[in-house]
Structures are given as structure tokens and as C-alpha cells.
Amino acid sequence: MKRMRVKFLAVSGSVLSVLLLLGGALLIKIAGISDIPQAGFPGALLGGRYFLIILGVVLGVASTCLGSTAVEGGLQKKRYFPYLLIAPAMVFLLIFVVYPILNVLFLSFFRGSVQNPTKEFVGLKNYIALSEKSQFIVSVKNTFFYAAIFVTLVIVCSLLMALWLFDDRKINKFSQTAVFTPHLIATVSCAFIWRWIMDFNDYGVLNTVLSLFGISPVPWLESSKTAMWAIIVMNVWKNIGYYTLILIAAMKNIPAEIFEAAVLDNASRTKRFFKIILPMISPQLFVTLILLTIGSFNVFDSVNAMTAGGPGSSTEVIARFIYLFAFGNVNSLGLGCSAAVFLMSIQLVLTAAYFKLLARRVHY
Amino acid sequence: MAGIEFQNICKSFGSAKVMENLNLTIEDGKFTVLVGPSGCGKTTLLRIIAGIGPASSGRCLMDGKDITDLEPAKRGIAMVFQNYALYPTMNVRENIVFGLKNIRMPKEERDKLVNEYSQIVGLLDQLQKSPSQLSGGQRQRVALARAMVKTPKIFLMDEPLSNLDAKLRVQMRGELIELQKRLGATFVYVTHDQVEAMSMADTIVLMNKGEIQQKGSPEEIYDDPNNVFTAQFIGTPPMNLLAMENGCRLGYRPEVVRLCREHAAAGYCAAGNIVTREMLGSETHYKVRLRDGDVMVKTQDKSFCAGEAVYISVAAGDMYFFGPDEQRIREGHARYRECLEAAGGAL
């Protein structure tokens, strides 16, 4: 009896949740995202559209949890039941992930602005315009440069750092926390700290230290030769701690006996690293690589805060291009969207390539 | 081939002392089993030999040479770990060959050795598989092959059979004994299972709380225990121990007890009731409740039943006595006669 009631609650909960999510999304579509709600029946409902979404999510999670307890009780025979339980999550993904992606793709074929996104259908003209825009081509080049150097540096540095901090010593516990701390600071704050460190004027820390050794000050952020490197250094500094922690956790998972066996097998330190540690943390390295690559192509806030794309266009990146053209210029939302579609395709292709090329070398 | 000698070994983990001034000699070419309850320091000793858990102080000699500070890889030993410690990302062949590659052995020689030893352990057709595809017994064999292929002077084994099922364990036990005889190498084998120790060892070293309780052949350990710990640790069921009025303790093995329905004419005899009866096929175990405590009786006579009132008797020569310090009181000891009389065993 009790189980039937649980099942009934779970089913009705997830159906209701799906309806709420769809209803909320529809109301947002009709009313826009920033309209002031009005009193009275339709107005109040329109104003409560975000509330409907939140309620839908809460109800969806609750009914899925409730339902999963019922599944263990033998209800898995009913084929539709599991699908019903994941329906709220699927609807949520459809509304907030799949729909925006398709919408960006759709808008990239139009000329328009945020207020009127589909002013004029232009077909592939936005893409053609992109390929001819030197600002965009420079952004793509810069982004690739940034991504290649950043990903390599972070992986190599956090591997070395993880090896260094691997042993259980008090000082290492402190060091782990210390290298992790930058991850907790907002990127914009970090950017300001590093702008101060790299300042060209007489109060820049780096130049002050260099001057002690008789080296004349370098305009780190004001020179097109060093600006991108400065941003890379800041981001590497910010990210190392996080990935070091992931890799240390992976290394700690390797049983101590395996290292002992390797020592008895005459394996040198280098051999132990390449033949035992590296293959055994390959799943975590692989995930790290994919996350870092995707993240590095999205780089925006650090660039915007440190150099705003300058000097000249030496640190312009794709995400900044999208931001400028989608929300800055007049009637160029479509151009921004087409750049966004381009960025997403790069990330998709790279991720697919990683799986194709590296998945065989990953030992699960 | 090599013997090992420990001199004044001390070992502490942090502030906890687990071993103090331990001296022990392990004979060359023998199958020596270190046995004792968990935490007694047997694995610690093994790791000192291997060099992967060095002693806090004291010396370790191999063939008379001091190896206390020698690198593990240069000691000429091979170790089989309890959980085998196979390299999970390498296949069976790579696992076996890894140690040989590291000493830069030529490929032909390597392949010959791998084929030879994987044949011995019956893994010749499994060489391309990864350890995760193998059963527990097969993994154990890979670990053995990996140890053997290095042709070490000393084999160290840390409870290598404890992860196998009972049937396989008995089978592997026999194979290990055979292997040791064939290779003639020194085997040092750690286990907490006294049956394993008794069945495999040339020499048993029985340990408790970081101290050696007794060292000897299985016969010596079983027939002539030094103290209460040895008497109780070896044998299933363990030796019966009963307190006597003079503060000493009387002990006798379950299988020397005679169960009868009448009082014996002379010697040690006690009345009691059978509490439980376990029929194991070839033998039957009875638990008999006496006035002084419970004793186990192991006999081929299955005619008694639970609840029955019985007499038990033990011959004087089968009795052991232990003093208040838990040490054995042997024949010839000052208190031996007194104990024998107190037990009622004197004629």
C-alpha cells in the first residue's frame, strides 16, 4: 500500500514538475525576461514565471528522489517509470541547454539586436563577414595561442606540483592549501592583483624587484609582446592549485604496495613516473585536459579586466569578440552569435579529437 | 641462497614502539614462516628484510653482510604482496617482465625466462590479458611468476594466500612447498594462520606483540611449547588450560583426552558434562564442562551425546604445566613434581 502511494506521489510530482517548467519557460518567452509584473490574473502569473521554474526544479528533484526509492522496490518492471522520473531533468536541460544552443544557431542567420533579434534574415552572410573581419581572425589566433600555452603549462605545472606535494608532511598540507587559495578568489580580483604586480609605473612589484637586480622596468601589460603572456601567467597561477589537488587525489589512490613492488623491481624514479603513476592517473589527466581546453577557449574575464583586449588587439579573444558584437555594437547580434557557433564547434571538434586520439591510452 | 640475521632490531611508528631488541636468525635455504596474531610485527620484519620499511635501529645481515642501508632493489630478494600489487595498467607479460627490463636484460633472455616461468605457474596462454581480467588465483600466480623470474636468493611472501578461497588455498599451499624444494631458495612467509604455518614451514617463528615467543620446527612448536601463548596459538582446537590451586596452570591437547563413562582407576581424572558436540566426519569435538572450566576433547569416538555426564582422563606424559609467569614448567624444573601432584597425575 505504502509503496503504491510513494509511486503515485513520484509520478504525479514529476508530471507536475514538467508542466511547471514548460509553463514557466513559455511565460518567459511570451513576457520577456525583464518585464515588470502587473497585478491581476494574467499579470501576476507572468510575474511569477521565475517562481514557476524554481518550483518545477524543486518538485522534479524531490519526485526523482522519491521515485528512486520506489524503483528498488520492484517497480522497474514498468518501462515508462524510469523515464518519467528523469523527465523533469530532461525538460530542464531542453529549456536551458538545448534550446539556447539551437537559438544561437538560429540567430546567427539574422541581422538584429537584442531588442529585435530577427530583424532581417541574411543567411550565411554573418559567417562570411566573420571570415573577412580581421578583428575576428586575430581573436581566433590569440585564443589558440592562449589555449595551447595555458593548457600545456597548467598540466605540466600541476603534475610537477602534485609530485612535489604528494608526501604526507605538514608543510605539504599547508602548501596544498596555499596553492589552492587563488582558485577561491574571483578572477576579476586576481586580475587586479596581477595588474598591480605587473604595473609599469614605479609601484609595480615585479618591476621593483627586477630593478633590485639592475633590470630596467618592462611594460608587461602595455606591450603587445608580453601582454598575452602576462594573462597566461595569471591564469596558470590561478588554476594550478585546483588541478594539483585533483592529481594529488588521483595519485593517493594508487596503492602503496604498487610503489613498493616497483622499488623492488628496480624501477628508477623516472620509470616509476612514466610507467606507473602516469598510466594510473590517466583518467583524471584526460578529464583535466578536456576541462582545461574547453575552459581556455572561453577565456574572457581575465582578459577583459587586465588588458581589455589591448594593447592594440594583441589580447583580443573570441569570447570578447562575441561579447562586444552581441551586446555592444548596433544590429550585430547575429555576428556575435555566428562567432559563438564557431567557438562551440572548435570545442566540439577538439573534444572529439581528444577522445579519438587519447581514449585508447587512458586506463580505466 | 642466503640466510638472514637480525641484530637488536627496534622499530617504532611515531611514538608507538612495536619491536624492541629483536634478535633472530633465518636459515639459508629453508622455508621459514613468521606467524602470529595481527599487529605482532611479522609483516614489519618482512619489510625490514625487503628494505621498504627500515628498522628504527639495529642491524640486518644477509649472508653475514650488513644490508641495513642497502637499497631494496640491490638485495636480491623478491616479494609477493598480500593483495599481489600487480601493475594494473600492464598486461601479464609486462608485469612479469618489468623487473627484468629495469635491469636491462636482453630481450631474448627476457622472453625465454617469461615463457619458462609462466609455464611453471600455468599462465602461458594468459600473457596478453590485463590483471583485471584474471581470477584471484591467477593473479596470485602472476605475482609468483613476477617474483620467480628475478631468480632471487630470498622470497618474501606476505600472506599471499589469504585472498584465495579455501580450496584454492590448500592447492597453492602444496605448490608453494614444491616450488621451494625445487628452487632451494630461502622462503620467508608471513601468515596469521597457524594451519598454514604448520603445514608449510621447515621452521616456525611464532611472534606476539613484537617479541618472538618460540622458534622451532612445527613438531617442536606443537609438542614442546615454551609458554601459554604458543600452546594456545598452535593447534585446533587450542590446548586446554585449567587453573590449579598452586597458581600454576595445567594444559593438555584435546586429542590426548580419553572420554569414558566410568571413573578411571588411577591418574588424572575429572567428572563433567558434555555441553556441545561437533561431528566433523573423521573426528568429533566435544566441549566438556568440568568443575574448573571448559575443555575441548577431540576423538574418533562419536558415541557420546550432548548433555551426557562423562569422565575425562589424561596420561601424565601428555600433561603440560605453566607457571604464574605463563612460562612452561618442564620436567626437571623445581616445581614440576608439585604441579604433577596437584593435578592428580602422580602415580
Side-chain angles (χ1 to χ4, degrees), chain A residues 8 13 50 53 62 85 111 119 123 127 132 144 146 163 180 197 221 227-228 248 251-252 261 294 330 345 363:
Chain A
F8 176 74
Y50 300 109
I53 297 270
L85 290 181
R111 200 172 76 87
K119 202 168 174 182
Y127 291 93
E132 287 163 354
F144 268 96
Y146 169 84
L163 282 175
F180 184 73
I197 292 175
L221 292 168
M228 188 52 103
I248 286 183
M251 287 182 195
K252 296 243 180 201
I294 292 176
V330 182
S345 331
H363 298 272

PDB file of all heavy atoms in Angstrom, chain A residues 8 13 50 53 62 85 111 119 123 127 132 144 146 163 180 197 221 227-228 248 251-252 261 294 330 345 363:
ATOM      1  N   PHE A   8       2.800   6.768  -6.669  1.00  0.00           N
ATOM      2  CA  PHE A   8       1.831   7.749  -7.144  1.00  0.00           C
ATOM      3  C   PHE A   8       2.361   9.169  -6.954  1.00  0.00           C
ATOM      4  O   PHE A   8       2.303  10.002  -7.862  1.00  0.00           O
ATOM      5  CB  PHE A   8       0.499   7.575  -6.381  1.00  0.00           C
ATOM      6  CG  PHE A   8      -0.535   8.609  -6.739  1.00  0.00           C
ATOM      7  CD1 PHE A   8      -1.194   8.555  -7.961  1.00  0.00           C
ATOM      8  CD2 PHE A   8      -0.825   9.655  -5.876  1.00  0.00           C
ATOM      9  CE1 PHE A   8      -2.124   9.517  -8.302  1.00  0.00           C
ATOM     10  CE2 PHE A   8      -1.744  10.622  -6.212  1.00  0.00           C
ATOM     11  CZ  PHE A   8      -2.399  10.546  -7.425  1.00  0.00           C
ATOM     12  N   GLY A  13       4.332  13.994  -9.052  1.00  0.00           N
ATOM     13  CA  GLY A  13       5.321  15.054  -8.829  1.00  0.00           C
ATOM     14  C   GLY A  13       6.091  15.368 -10.080  1.00  0.00           C
ATOM     15  O   GLY A  13       6.257  16.528 -10.455  1.00  0.00           O
ATOM     16  N   TYR A  50       9.410  33.073 -12.934  1.00  0.00           N
ATOM     17  CA  TYR A  50      10.662  32.504 -12.393  1.00  0.00           C
ATOM     18  C   TYR A  50      10.368  31.569 -11.233  1.00  0.00           C
ATOM     19  O   TYR A  50      11.009  30.547 -11.059  1.00  0.00           O
ATOM     20  CB  TYR A  50      11.613  33.616 -11.945  1.00  0.00           C
ATOM     21  CG  TYR A  50      11.988  34.524 -13.081  1.00  0.00           C
ATOM     22  CD1 TYR A  50      11.508  35.820 -13.165  1.00  0.00           C
ATOM     23  CD2 TYR A  50      12.807  34.036 -14.105  1.00  0.00           C
ATOM     24  CE1 TYR A  50      11.831  36.632 -14.230  1.00  0.00           C
ATOM     25  CE2 TYR A  50      13.141  34.842 -15.173  1.00  0.00           C
ATOM     26  CZ  TYR A  50      12.650  36.139 -15.230  1.00  0.00           C
ATOM     27  OH  TYR A  50      12.966  36.922 -16.278  1.00  0.00           O
ATOM     28  N   ILE A  53       9.481  28.185 -12.464  1.00  0.00           N
ATOM     29  CA  ILE A  53      10.661  27.399 -12.840  1.00  0.00           C
ATOM     30  C   ILE A  53      11.309  26.798 -11.595  1.00  0.00           C
ATOM     31  O   ILE A  53      11.610  25.591 -11.546  1.00  0.00           O
ATOM     32  CB  ILE A  53      11.701  28.299 -13.563  1.00  0.00           C
ATOM     33  CG1 ILE A  53      11.113  28.843 -14.860  1.00  0.00           C
ATOM     34  CG2 ILE A  53      12.992  27.533 -13.793  1.00  0.00           C
ATOM     35  CD1 ILE A  53      11.325  28.006 -16.066  1.00  0.00           C
ATOM     36  N   ALA A  62      12.685  16.392  -6.052  1.00  0.00           N
ATOM     37  CA  ALA A  62      12.029  15.655  -4.973  1.00  0.00           C
ATOM     38  C   ALA A  62      11.383  14.379  -5.495  1.00  0.00           C
ATOM     39  O   ALA A  62      11.555  13.296  -4.924  1.00  0.00           O
ATOM     40  CB  ALA A  62      10.989  16.538  -4.302  1.00  0.00           C
ATOM     41  N   LEU A  85      10.658   9.526 -14.313  1.00  0.00           N
ATOM     42  CA  LEU A  85      11.432  10.117 -13.215  1.00  0.00           C
ATOM     43  C   LEU A  85      12.508  11.069 -13.706  1.00  0.00           C
ATOM     44  O   LEU A  85      12.822  12.053 -13.049  1.00  0.00           O
ATOM     45  CB  LEU A  85      12.076   9.017 -12.368  1.00  0.00           C
ATOM     46  CG  LEU A  85      11.125   8.187 -11.515  1.00  0.00           C
ATOM     47  CD1 LEU A  85      11.905   7.175 -10.715  1.00  0.00           C
ATOM     48  CD2 LEU A  85      10.315   9.066 -10.595  1.00  0.00           C
ATOM     49  N   ARG A 111      20.214  39.383 -39.037  1.00  0.00           N
ATOM     50  CA  ARG A 111      20.794  40.648 -38.619  1.00  0.00           C
ATOM     51  C   ARG A 111      19.818  41.233 -37.618  1.00  0.00           C
ATOM     52  O   ARG A 111      18.621  41.247 -37.852  1.00  0.00           O
ATOM     53  CB  ARG A 111      20.925  41.579 -39.815  1.00  0.00           C
ATOM     54  CG  ARG A 111      21.915  42.730 -39.645  1.00  0.00           C
ATOM     55  CD  ARG A 111      22.079  43.456 -40.978  1.00  0.00           C
ATOM     56  NE  ARG A 111      20.917  44.309 -41.251  1.00  0.00           N
ATOM     57  CZ  ARG A 111      20.799  45.585 -40.821  1.00  0.00           C
ATOM     58  NH1 ARG A 111      21.763  46.152 -40.140  1.00  0.00           N
ATOM     59  NH2 ARG A 111      19.721  46.292 -41.102  1.00  0.00           N
ATOM     60  N   LYS A 119      15.574  40.796 -37.023  1.00  0.00           N
ATOM     61  CA  LYS A 119      15.150  41.932 -37.850  1.00  0.00           C
ATOM     62  C   LYS A 119      15.148  41.572 -39.336  1.00  0.00           C
ATOM     63  O   LYS A 119      14.211  41.843 -40.059  1.00  0.00           O
ATOM     64  CB  LYS A 119      16.114  43.085 -37.617  1.00  0.00           C
ATOM     65  CG  LYS A 119      15.578  44.450 -37.941  1.00  0.00           C
ATOM     66  CD  LYS A 119      16.566  45.465 -37.375  1.00  0.00           C
ATOM     67  CE  LYS A 119      16.215  46.870 -37.773  1.00  0.00           C
ATOM     68  NZ  LYS A 119      17.226  47.805 -37.236  1.00  0.00           N
ATOM     69  N   GLY A 123      20.887  34.777 -44.035  1.00  0.00           N
ATOM     70  CA  GLY A 123      21.526  33.523 -44.434  1.00  0.00           C
ATOM     71  C   GLY A 123      22.903  33.382 -43.839  1.00  0.00           C
ATOM     72  O   GLY A 123      23.100  33.583 -42.647  1.00  0.00           O
ATOM     73  N   TYR A 127      28.507  34.651 -41.334  1.00  0.00           N
ATOM     74  CA  TYR A 127      29.713  33.819 -41.314  1.00  0.00           C
ATOM     75  C   TYR A 127      30.743  34.332 -42.304  1.00  0.00           C
ATOM     76  O   TYR A 127      31.947  34.334 -42.031  1.00  0.00           O
ATOM     77  CB  TYR A 127      29.354  32.355 -41.612  1.00  0.00           C
ATOM     78  CG  TYR A 127      28.561  31.717 -40.492  1.00  0.00           C
ATOM     79  CD1 TYR A 127      27.172  31.705 -40.502  1.00  0.00           C
ATOM     80  CD2 TYR A 127      29.223  31.154 -39.407  1.00  0.00           C
ATOM     81  CE1 TYR A 127      26.456  31.141 -39.470  1.00  0.00           C
ATOM     82  CE2 TYR A 127      28.516  30.590 -38.361  1.00  0.00           C
ATOM     83  CZ  TYR A 127      27.125  30.585 -38.406  1.00  0.00           C
ATOM     84  OH  TYR A 127      26.422  30.037 -37.382  1.00  0.00           O
ATOM     85  N   GLU A 132      35.934  37.563 -42.965  1.00  0.00           N
ATOM     86  CA  GLU A 132      36.637  38.707 -43.556  1.00  0.00           C
ATOM     87  C   GLU A 132      37.049  39.729 -42.517  1.00  0.00           C
ATOM     88  O   GLU A 132      37.788  40.659 -42.820  1.00  0.00           O
ATOM     89  CB  GLU A 132      35.730  39.372 -44.601  1.00  0.00           C
ATOM     90  CG  GLU A 132      35.605  38.541 -45.869  1.00  0.00           C
ATOM     91  CD  GLU A 132      34.413  38.960 -46.719  1.00  0.00           C
ATOM     92  OE1 GLU A 132      33.622  39.822 -46.264  1.00  0.00           O
ATOM     93  OE2 GLU A 132      34.275  38.414 -47.829  1.00  0.00           O
ATOM     94  N   PHE A 144      43.779  30.589 -29.790  1.00  0.00           N
ATOM     95  CA  PHE A 144      44.507  29.333 -29.973  1.00  0.00           C
ATOM     96  C   PHE A 144      45.864  29.393 -29.267  1.00  0.00           C
ATOM     97  O   PHE A 144      46.268  28.443 -28.597  1.00  0.00           O
ATOM     98  CB  PHE A 144      44.684  29.019 -31.458  1.00  0.00           C
ATOM     99  CG  PHE A 144      43.585  28.157 -31.998  1.00  0.00           C
ATOM    100  CD1 PHE A 144      42.492  28.719 -32.649  1.00  0.00           C
ATOM    101  CD2 PHE A 144      43.637  26.783 -31.847  1.00  0.00           C
ATOM    102  CE1 PHE A 144      41.466  27.927 -33.134  1.00  0.00           C
ATOM    103  CE2 PHE A 144      42.614  25.976 -32.322  1.00  0.00           C
ATOM    104  CZ  PHE A 144      41.523  26.552 -32.971  1.00  0.00           C
ATOM    105  N   TYR A 146      46.705  31.302 -26.743  1.00  0.00           N
ATOM    106  CA  TYR A 146      46.455  31.268 -25.306  1.00  0.00           C
ATOM    107  C   TYR A 146      46.164  29.847 -24.849  1.00  0.00           C
ATOM    108  O   TYR A 146      46.746  29.339 -23.889  1.00  0.00           O
ATOM    109  CB  TYR A 146      45.273  32.183 -24.956  1.00  0.00           C
ATOM    110  CG  TYR A 146      44.779  32.027 -23.547  1.00  0.00           C
ATOM    111  CD1 TYR A 146      45.391  32.715 -22.503  1.00  0.00           C
ATOM    112  CD2 TYR A 146      43.715  31.180 -23.250  1.00  0.00           C
ATOM    113  CE1 TYR A 146      44.969  32.549 -21.193  1.00  0.00           C
ATOM    114  CE2 TYR A 146      43.275  31.012 -21.951  1.00  0.00           C
ATOM    115  CZ  TYR A 146      43.901  31.693 -20.929  1.00  0.00           C
ATOM    116  OH  TYR A 146      43.477  31.528 -19.649  1.00  0.00           O
ATOM    117  N   LEU A 163      53.443  15.986  -7.737  1.00  0.00           N
ATOM    118  CA  LEU A 163      54.543  15.091  -7.356  1.00  0.00           C
ATOM    119  C   LEU A 163      55.283  15.648  -6.148  1.00  0.00           C
ATOM    120  O   LEU A 163      55.669  14.924  -5.229  1.00  0.00           O
ATOM    121  CB  LEU A 163      55.530  14.945  -8.516  1.00  0.00           C
ATOM    122  CG  LEU A 163      55.119  14.018  -9.637  1.00  0.00           C
ATOM    123  CD1 LEU A 163      56.136  14.080 -10.754  1.00  0.00           C
ATOM    124  CD2 LEU A 163      54.992  12.599  -9.118  1.00  0.00           C
ATOM    125  N   PHE A 180      46.029  26.278  -3.561  1.00  0.00           N
ATOM    126  CA  PHE A 180      44.626  26.186  -3.945  1.00  0.00           C
ATOM    127  C   PHE A 180      43.910  27.527  -3.782  1.00  0.00           C
ATOM    128  O   PHE A 180      42.936  27.805  -4.476  1.00  0.00           O
ATOM    129  CB  PHE A 180      43.934  25.113  -3.098  1.00  0.00           C
ATOM    130  CG  PHE A 180      42.498  24.877  -3.473  1.00  0.00           C
ATOM    131  CD1 PHE A 180      42.186  24.211  -4.659  1.00  0.00           C
ATOM    132  CD2 PHE A 180      41.460  25.320  -2.674  1.00  0.00           C
ATOM    133  CE1 PHE A 180      40.875  23.992  -5.027  1.00  0.00           C
ATOM    134  CE2 PHE A 180      40.137  25.102  -3.044  1.00  0.00           C
ATOM    135  CZ  PHE A 180      39.854  24.440  -4.211  1.00  0.00           C
ATOM    136  N   ILE A 197      50.796  43.931  -9.637  1.00  0.00           N
ATOM    137  CA  ILE A 197      52.126  43.305  -9.644  1.00  0.00           C
ATOM    138  C   ILE A 197      52.906  43.725 -10.890  1.00  0.00           C
ATOM    139  O   ILE A 197      54.091  44.033 -10.843  1.00  0.00           O
ATOM    140  CB  ILE A 197      51.993  41.763  -9.589  1.00  0.00           C
ATOM    141  CG1 ILE A 197      51.437  41.324  -8.233  1.00  0.00           C
ATOM    142  CG2 ILE A 197      53.345  41.081  -9.841  1.00  0.00           C
ATOM    143  CD1 ILE A 197      51.163  39.847  -8.124  1.00  0.00           C
ATOM    144  N   LEU A 221      52.041  44.700 -19.248  1.00  0.00           N
ATOM    145  CA  LEU A 221      50.685  44.699 -19.795  1.00  0.00           C
ATOM    146  C   LEU A 221      50.515  45.718 -20.915  1.00  0.00           C
ATOM    147  O   LEU A 221      49.513  45.714 -21.613  1.00  0.00           O
ATOM    148  CB  LEU A 221      49.674  44.991 -18.681  1.00  0.00           C
ATOM    149  CG  LEU A 221      49.546  43.894 -17.638  1.00  0.00           C
ATOM    150  CD1 LEU A 221      48.770  44.362 -16.421  1.00  0.00           C
ATOM    151  CD2 LEU A 221      48.849  42.684 -18.247  1.00  0.00           C
ATOM    152  N   ALA A 227      51.873  41.122 -23.216  1.00  0.00           N
ATOM    153  CA  ALA A 227      50.551  41.206 -22.594  1.00  0.00           C
ATOM    154  C   ALA A 227      49.874  39.840 -22.496  1.00  0.00           C
ATOM    155  O   ALA A 227      49.351  39.457 -21.443  1.00  0.00           O
ATOM    156  CB  ALA A 227      49.680  42.184 -23.370  1.00  0.00           C
ATOM    157  N   MET A 228      49.897  39.068 -23.616  1.00  0.00           N
ATOM    158  CA  MET A 228      49.230  37.759 -23.597  1.00  0.00           C
ATOM    159  C   MET A 228      49.904  36.830 -22.593  1.00  0.00           C
ATOM    160  O   MET A 228      49.238  36.072 -21.879  1.00  0.00           O
ATOM    161  CB  MET A 228      49.241  37.148 -25.000  1.00  0.00           C
ATOM    162  CG  MET A 228      48.406  35.888 -25.137  1.00  0.00           C
ATOM    163  SD  MET A 228      46.709  36.066 -24.538  1.00  0.00           S
ATOM    164  CE  MET A 228      45.797  36.234 -26.041  1.00  0.00           C
ATOM    165  N   ILE A 248      46.724  15.111  -7.147  1.00  0.00           N
ATOM    166  CA  ILE A 248      47.202  14.514  -5.890  1.00  0.00           C
ATOM    167  C   ILE A 248      46.211  13.447  -5.420  1.00  0.00           C
ATOM    168  O   ILE A 248      46.592  12.346  -5.032  1.00  0.00           O
ATOM    169  CB  ILE A 248      47.385  15.580  -4.793  1.00  0.00           C
ATOM    170  CG1 ILE A 248      48.630  16.414  -5.075  1.00  0.00           C
ATOM    171  CG2 ILE A 248      47.538  14.923  -3.418  1.00  0.00           C
ATOM    172  CD1 ILE A 248      48.928  17.441  -4.018  1.00  0.00           C
ATOM    173  N   MET A 251      46.720  10.413  -7.378  1.00  0.00           N
ATOM    174  CA  MET A 251      47.949   9.690  -7.033  1.00  0.00           C
ATOM    175  C   MET A 251      47.807   8.966  -5.697  1.00  0.00           C
ATOM    176  O   MET A 251      48.340   7.888  -5.505  1.00  0.00           O
ATOM    177  CB  MET A 251      49.120  10.665  -6.943  1.00  0.00           C
ATOM    178  CG  MET A 251      49.571  11.164  -8.299  1.00  0.00           C
ATOM    179  SD  MET A 251      50.977  12.248  -8.085  1.00  0.00           S
ATOM    180  CE  MET A 251      51.031  13.032  -9.669  1.00  0.00           C
ATOM    181  N   LYS A 252      47.056   9.591  -4.784  1.00  0.00           N
ATOM    182  CA  LYS A 252      46.880   8.948  -3.475  1.00  0.00           C
ATOM    183  C   LYS A 252      46.065   7.668  -3.603  1.00  0.00           C
ATOM    184  O   LYS A 252      46.088   6.827  -2.716  1.00  0.00           O
ATOM    185  CB  LYS A 252      46.169   9.902  -2.509  1.00  0.00           C
ATOM    186  CG  LYS A 252      46.969  11.133  -2.221  1.00  0.00           C
ATOM    187  CD  LYS A 252      47.361  11.233  -0.769  1.00  0.00           C
ATOM    188  CE  LYS A 252      48.148  12.478  -0.612  1.00  0.00           C
ATOM    189  NZ  LYS A 252      48.991  12.667   0.445  1.00  0.00           N
ATOM    190  N   ALA A 261      56.373  -2.492  -4.822  1.00  0.00           N
ATOM    191  CA  ALA A 261      56.702  -3.538  -5.791  1.00  0.00           C
ATOM    192  C   ALA A 261      57.616  -2.977  -6.866  1.00  0.00           C
ATOM    193  O   ALA A 261      58.571  -3.638  -7.290  1.00  0.00           O
ATOM    194  CB  ALA A 261      55.421  -4.097  -6.412  1.00  0.00           C
ATOM    195  N   ILE A 294      38.411  23.198 -22.939  1.00  0.00           N
ATOM    196  CA  ILE A 294      37.138  23.888 -23.125  1.00  0.00           C
ATOM    197  C   ILE A 294      37.173  25.238 -22.404  1.00  0.00           C
ATOM    198  O   ILE A 294      36.797  26.274 -22.948  1.00  0.00           O
ATOM    199  CB  ILE A 294      35.978  23.016 -22.604  1.00  0.00           C
ATOM    200  CG1 ILE A 294      35.834  21.792 -23.516  1.00  0.00           C
ATOM    201  CG2 ILE A 294      34.682  23.804 -22.575  1.00  0.00           C
ATOM    202  CD1 ILE A 294      34.804  20.817 -23.061  1.00  0.00           C
ATOM    203  N   VAL A 330      25.682  48.070 -32.752  1.00  0.00           N
ATOM    204  CA  VAL A 330      24.294  48.123 -33.189  1.00  0.00           C
ATOM    205  C   VAL A 330      24.036  47.048 -34.239  1.00  0.00           C
ATOM    206  O   VAL A 330      24.835  46.861 -35.155  1.00  0.00           O
ATOM    207  CB  VAL A 330      23.997  49.520 -33.792  1.00  0.00           C
ATOM    208  CG1 VAL A 330      22.531  49.607 -34.209  1.00  0.00           C
ATOM    209  CG2 VAL A 330      24.365  50.606 -32.800  1.00  0.00           C
ATOM    210  N   SER A 345      31.904  25.054 -32.089  1.00  0.00           N
ATOM    211  CA  SER A 345      32.350  23.987 -32.998  1.00  0.00           C
ATOM    212  C   SER A 345      33.795  23.623 -32.735  1.00  0.00           C
ATOM    213  O   SER A 345      34.163  22.439 -32.755  1.00  0.00           O
ATOM    214  CB  SER A 345      32.213  24.413 -34.464  1.00  0.00           C
ATOM    215  OG  SER A 345      31.174  25.312 -34.607  1.00  0.00           O
ATOM    216  N   HIS A 363      43.698   4.388 -19.056  1.00  0.00           N
ATOM    217  CA  HIS A 363      43.418   3.106 -18.381  1.00  0.00           C
ATOM    218  C   HIS A 363      42.353   3.313 -17.328  1.00  0.00           C
ATOM    219  O   HIS A 363      42.599   4.012 -16.356  1.00  0.00           O
ATOM    220  CB  HIS A 363      44.678   2.577 -17.713  1.00  0.00           C
ATOM    221  CG  HIS A 363      45.777   2.295 -18.678  1.00  0.00           C
ATOM    222  ND1 HIS A 363      45.912   1.086 -19.303  1.00  0.00           N
ATOM    223  CD2 HIS A 363      46.790   3.058 -19.123  1.00  0.00           C
ATOM    224  CE1 HIS A 363      46.970   1.123 -20.103  1.00  0.00           C
ATOM    225  NE2 HIS A 363      47.516   2.313 -20.008  1.00  0.00           N
TER     226      HIS A 363
END
